[in-house]
């Protein structure tokens, strides 16, 4: 058999990484961070265990990257859903609803994510987080910000604070109340975005399936992979 080309090897590495990200989201959401091991993630992904450390420095970095991917693609899907719009107010409403929706629908995963950010290693500046930041900055700009460099960090802080408030064990704030506060701050009508009493596209079953956010199909040339 002839050696695989560089492009095929690159595609196989990309798919292996995607499967690890998806497995991390699924397992932490099902069992929590502490009960999920790197071995569990590798097994769910169908990858050699050594590949986890090949792609990620550790479990915390892997999980943060995985959650940032989920946040990025959830936000992207919300912003681009039909009917598509360039209206800045509607896009801001969709962005708020997308992030609050993750806190409502995936409390275990998002609680672990917030806890991880508060750990000593802090906020992981990974490519997934940078893609999320690009979408949020664009949302702020389309809303009419005169100073995106100042207004983007504020939006990020407000969303993180709202997610944290929705997930405090024993004293969570209701998502509709948090939404109302954010909508008032940004002068958004309640009917914009995805109000809490409406069902998102595809319903609950679609919302539970994250596979559409991860390109994990196997390439025909794929063989069991080893770290290089």
């Amino acid at each position: 058999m002839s050696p695989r080309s560089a492009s095929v090897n690159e595609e196989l590495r990309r798919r292996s990484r995607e499967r690890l990200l998806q497995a991390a989201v699924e397992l932490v959401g099902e069992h929590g961070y502490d009960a999920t091991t790197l071995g569990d993630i590798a097994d769910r992904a169908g990858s050699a265990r050594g590949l986890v450390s090949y792609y990620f420095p550790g479990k915390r970095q892997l999980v943060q990257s995985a959650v940032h991917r989920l946040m990025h693609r959830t936000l992207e899907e919300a912003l681009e859903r039909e009917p598509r719009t360039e209206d800045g107010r509607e896009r801001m409403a969709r962005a708020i609803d997308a992030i609050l929706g993750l806190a409502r629908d995936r409390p275990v995963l998002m609680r672990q994510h917030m806890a991880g950010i508060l750990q000593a290693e802090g906020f992981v500046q990974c490519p997934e987080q940078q893609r999320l930041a690009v979408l949020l900055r664009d949302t702020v700009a389309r809303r009419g910000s005169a100073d995106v460099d100042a207004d983007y960090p504020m939006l990020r802080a407000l969303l993180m604070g709202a997610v944290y408030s929705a997930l405090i064990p024993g004293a969570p704030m209701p998502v509709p109340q948090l939404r109302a506060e954010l909508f008032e701050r940004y002068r958004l009508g309640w009917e914009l975005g995805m109000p809490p009493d409406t069902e998102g596209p595809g319903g609950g079953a679609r919302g539970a399936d994250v596979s559409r956010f991860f390109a994990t199909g196997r390439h025909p040339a794929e063989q069991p992979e080893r770290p290089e």
Side-chain angles (χ1 to χ4, degrees):
M1 180 181 295
S2 60
R4 294 192 301 238
S5 68
S7 62
V8 169
N9 283 330
E10 179 61 28
E11 176 65 9
L12 297 182
R13 285 192 289 269
R14 186 184 68 80
R15 289 171 186 258
S16 291
R17 186 176 185 276
E18 293 281 312
R19 288 196 294 271
L20 290 170
L21 291 170
Q22 180 177 341
V25 163
E26 292 173 347
L27 286 169
V28 174
E30 293 167 9
H31 306 296
Y33 180 83
D34 291 335
T36 299
T37 68
L38 289 175
D40 294 333
I41 293 171
D43 290 345
R44 172 71 67 91
S47 298
R49 296 192 180 192
L51 281 177
V52 181
S53 57
Y54 176 68
Y55 292 117
F56 301 97
K59 185 169 76 166
R60 183 67 66 187
Q61 291 83 355
L62 166 56
V63 172
Q64 278 206 38
S65 291
V67 177
H68 281 138
R69 161 64 70 84
L70 178 64
M71 294 173 70
H72 161 240
R73 293 299 304 276
T74 298
L75 176 57
E76 181 179 61
E77 185 176 81
L79 292 174
E80 299 305 319
R81 74 166 185 264
E82 298 295 339
R84 298 183 66 178
T85 180
E86 299 300 318
D87 179 76
R89 295 172 69 254
E90 171 64 20
R91 291 178 71 86
M92 177 65 78
R94 292 185 183 189
I96 292 171
D97 284 341
I99 302 304
L100 289 181
L102 286 172
R104 179 193 63 228
D105 299 335
R106 304 182 186 278
V108 173
L109 183 67
M110 295 303 292
R111 188 178 293 119
Q112 299 295 332
H113 178 61
M114 297 300 294
I117 291 174
L118 297 175
Q119 298 295 316
E121 56 266 41
F123 199 68
V124 175
Q125 297 286 344
C126 62
E128 308 300 339
Q129 185 276 328
Q130 292 167 3
R131 295 185 183 100
L132 174 63
V134 167
L135 282 182
L136 287 175
R137 287 180 64 91
D138 180 69
T139 299
V140 169
R142 294 187 190 220
R143 179 63 185 86
S145 170
D147 188 353
V148 174
D149 288 338
D151 292 339
Y152 156 67
M154 178 58 68
L155 174 62
R156 183 182 64 193
L158 289 169
L159 290 173
M160 290 176 67
V163 169
Y164 179 83
S165 298
L167 298 175
I168 297 175
M173 288 189 66
V175 167
Q177 183 177 345
L178 294 166
R179 181 184 194 266
E181 292 293 328
L182 288 169
F183 271 44
E184 181 178 359
R185 178 184 179 89
Y186 288 103
R187 300 178 182 177
L188 305 173
W190 185 261
E191 74 283 356
L192 297 176
M194 186 65 66
D197 58 349
T198 62
E199 186 178 85
R206 179 170 171 79
D209 179 15
V210 301
S211 62
R212 66 192 186 279
F213 295 150
F214 301 90
T216 55
R218 290 185 180 273
H219 192 280
E222 188 165 4
Q223 301 292 333
E225 193 175 354
R226 296 290 182 270
E228 295 178 356

